[in-house]
Amino acid sequence: MVHDSLRERFPSLSMSTVYATIESFLERGLIRQVSGRSGRLRVDGTPDDHDHAVCRNCGRVFDIDPGAIERPAKPLELPDGLRVTSLHIEYEVICRKCGGN
Ligand SMILES: [Zn+2]
């Protein structure tokens, strides 16, 4: 999608440049990866604390305002001495279009 939208202005832009750029944005925390189930790389341009719901049928990703629902408390530490810096929740859902309510 990123590649398609830039190709007109930058005809020589390669797919690998797009991936490399996205990777470096991910490393710097400018964007954040959304896992989903499709196997495609999905990224989110707003890395601040909000959650996602991913439709298990169509793969559409919804932003969920964490203030809107109660979230589990963030542990300070995980096994193996891993210090927790943030918590992101991904809900698996069926969206309205796909028959949920
Ligand atoms: Zn759906």
Side-chain angles (χ1 to χ4, degrees):
M1 223 172 70
V2 174
H3 186 247
D4 278 351
S5 66
L6 291 171
R7 204 168 37 184
E8 229 167 77
R9 272 198 296 164
F10 307 98
S12 65
L13 183 70
S14 74
M15 203 66 165
S16 61
T17 302
V18 171
Y19 274 104
T21 306
I22 289 174
E23 286 294 331
S24 80
F25 283 1
L26 284 170
E27 273 167 31
R28 287 166 178 76
L30 297 172
I31 55 175
R32 150 164 100 82
Q33 186 162 353
V34 183
S35 59
R37 292 165 62 94
S38 65
R40 285 183 294 180
L41 175 65
R42 286 176 175 279
V43 292
D44 187 337
T46 51
D48 49 297
D49 254 355
H50 68 264
D51 298 324
H52 291 112
V54 181
C55 177
R56 61 179 299 169
N57 186 55
C58 68
R60 198 171 150 204
V61 178
F62 301 83
D63 285 344
I64 305 296
D65 174 6
I69 32 103
E70 200 172 320
R71 308 164 94 212
K74 183 180 81 178
L76 294 176
E77 204 177 82
L78 292 173
D80 297 322
L82 302 171
R83 193 165 53 90
V84 177
T85 57
S86 70
L87 171 73
H88 305 293
I89 297 174
E90 189 176 289
Y91 301 92
E92 188 180 289
V93 298
I94 303 287
C95 76
R96 280 196 180 159
K97 224 178 96 192
C98 295
N101 269 311

